[in-house]
Amino acid sequence: MALTFDEICIDAHDATALGGWWARVLGWQQDVDADGDVVLHAPPGAGPNWLFLGVPDDKVVKNRIHFDFRPDDQQAEVDRVVGLGARHVDIGQGDETWVVLADPEGNEFCILAAED
């Protein structure tokens, strides 16, 4: 028996808005399925699809899992994503090489330093 990593499921108060936001950040195609959930289609080699599921509750605590992204130019990507509506957050990380941001619903993610 084998498992295939097929998709990442993300609860969202507004699945359409959050899925659309991440589609702009990642540059991925999005579709809405028959249940009204938003699917972001990962390009080949970019990992699993992302599925945004509408839930009635808001996020209230720090994520137990988060995404790390490694750009070619960290500051340019931080500026771009903040310009799209992300915000800087302090989760006690201190002075590190990565930047912690939150999406419009408060889900934390990191933009790492570019590799040398």
Side-chain angles (χ1 to χ4, degrees):
M1 182 180 294
L3 297 174
T4 301
F5 192 10
D6 188 63
E7 59 193 12
I8 296 170
C9 298
I10 301 163
D11 289 348
H13 188 70
D14 185 340
T16 302
L18 191 61
W21 187 84
W22 276 105
R24 287 188 303 281
V25 167
L26 298 171
W28 292 4
Q29 177 191 0
Q30 72 176 32
D31 290 310
V32 179
D33 69 15
D35 295 325
D37 302 321
V38 177
V39 181
L40 300 190
H41 299 280
N49 292 338
W50 292 18
L51 177 63
F52 292 83
L53 307 164
V55 297
D57 48 319
D58 294 322
K59 178 186 175 294
V60 293
V61 298
K62 179 181 170 291
N63 295 5
R64 296 292 301 261
I65 188 170
H66 69 269
F67 301 115
D68 285 349
F69 299 98
R70 186 168 311 275
D72 293 330
D73 181 331
Q74 183 187 45
Q75 191 58 56
E77 282 302 303
V78 168
D79 292 344
R80 183 182 74 83
V81 175
V82 167
L84 290 171
R87 61 184 171 80
H88 289 267
V89 293
D90 182 352
I91 57 169
Q93 68 268 20
D95 186 23
E96 300 294 344
T97 60
W98 59 86
V99 177
V100 182
L101 300 173
D103 69 19
E105 288 202 11
N107 300 299
E108 299 91 4
F109 63 98
C110 296
I111 298 184
L112 307 175
E115 288 187 325
D116 294 330

